Amino acid sequence: MDAIRLERPIETKRPKIDLIKVAGNSRTSAVAGAIAGVIRDTNQAVVQAIGASAVNQAAKAMALAKGYLSEDGISVVCIPEFVDVEIDGKVRTAMKFVVEPR
Amino acid sequence: MDAIRLERPIETKRPKIDLIKVAGNSRTSAVAGAIAGVIRDTNQAVVQAIGASAVNQAAKAMALAKGYLSEDGISVVCIPEFVDVEIDGKVRTAMKFVVEPR
C-alpha cells in the first residue's frame, strides 16, 4: 500500500477526517477499501489526487467503494472540488473528493 | 465544442436525460457549462468519460459546475459508477457520473 498514504490534512476544517491520498499507481481496490473503511468508521472520507492518472484512479476507487458500501446499505455520493496543495515548495492544484452518505 | 457531444444514452433507464460525453481534449469550462445547463433544465446530468484523461476532465468540469450552480443556490453531488459501452464494436468500461442536487 505504498501508493496510499493516510495523513492528517493540513488545510481541512474537519481535523478528525483522514485524507486518502491517491497516486496514479495506487491500486483501485486498495483505495476503495480505504474509502469504505474510513466511511464506516467516521462517516466521511476525503480523497485527494493530483494529475489525470491519480484522478482516474480516485474515480474508479470511489465507484468501487460505492459498491462495497451499498452491500452494507450505505449509499454514498461524492463532492468534487479543487484544492491548492504545496508539494516540495510548489503550489499545485489537486482534486479533492468528499465522499459521504447521501 | 467538438469534443462534447450531447446524445441520448442507449443504456439509461431515464430516457429523458441527455448524456454528456467528455473526451480528454474537452474544454473544462465548456463541459462545466453543459453540466450546469442540463441540471438547471432537467435537475440531473449524466457525464460519461473513457480513459484517465477524459475522467480527469470530467472531474474538473464537475468541480467547476458545482461552483457555477452554487451561485444559483443549487448544491450538487456526483455519483460515480462503471458502465460498459460499445465503441466500434468493442466493449470498453467507461466511468459514468450522475450529477444531481443533494
Side-chain angles (χ1 to χ4, degrees):
Chain A
M1 296 243 294
D2 279 342
I4 303 169
R5 287 175 293 153
L6 285 168
E7 291 177 13
R8 297 286 164 193
I10 46 171
E11 92 298 353
T12 184
K13 287 168 189 163
R14 302 181 184 93
K16 295 216 175 140
I17 304 292
D18 286 312
L19 184 62
I20 299 170
K21 292 191 177 183
V22 181
N25 62 348
S26 297
R27 282 192 306 121
T28 308
S29 58
V31 178
I35 294 170
V38 170
I39 287 176
R40 286 190 193 100
D41 286 349
T42 69
N43 215 40
Q44 187 186 60
V46 181
V47 179
Q48 184 179 291
I50 299 174
S53 175
V55 168
N56 185 46
Q57 288 307 105
K60 292 192 318 192
M62 290 186 292
L64 208 52
K66 186 171 76 80
Y68 295 164
L69 291 162
S70 74
E71 291 170 16
D72 302 331
I74 303 171
S75 173
V76 290
V77 296
C78 68
I79 300 130
E81 54 192 68
F82 297 108
V83 58
D84 286 335
V85 293
E86 195 179 311
I87 294 176
D88 298 334
K90 288 180 191 162
V91 175
R92 297 195 58 184
T93 301
M95 290 295 309
K96 191 174 90 171
F97 301 91
V98 177
V99 186
E100 57 187 31
R102 69 182 315 169
Chain B
M1 294 244 293
D2 278 341
I4 305 170
R5 287 175 293 153
L6 286 168
E7 292 177 11
R8 296 285 165 196
I10 48 171
E11 93 297 352
T12 184
K13 286 167 187 163
R14 302 183 184 91
K16 295 216 174 141
I17 304 293
D18 286 312
L19 185 61
I20 300 170
K21 292 191 178 183
V22 181
N25 62 348
S26 298
R27 281 192 306 121
T28 309
S29 58
V31 178
I35 293 170
V38 170
I39 287 176
R40 286 191 193 100
D41 286 351
T42 70
N43 215 41
Q44 187 186 62
V46 181
V47 178
Q48 185 179 289
I50 300 174
S53 175
V55 168
N56 184 46
Q57 288 307 105
K60 293 192 315 193
M62 289 186 292
L64 208 54
K66 187 171 75 78
Y68 295 164
L69 291 162
S70 74
E71 291 170 15
D72 301 332
I74 304 171
S75 172
V76 291
V77 295
C78 69
I79 300 130
E81 54 192 67
F82 298 108
V83 58
D84 285 335
V85 293
E86 196 179 309
I87 294 176
D88 298 334
K90 287 179 191 163
V91 175
R92 297 195 59 186
T93 301
M95 290 293 310
K96 191 174 89 171
F97 301 91
V98 177
V99 185
E100 57 188 31
R102 69 181 317 168

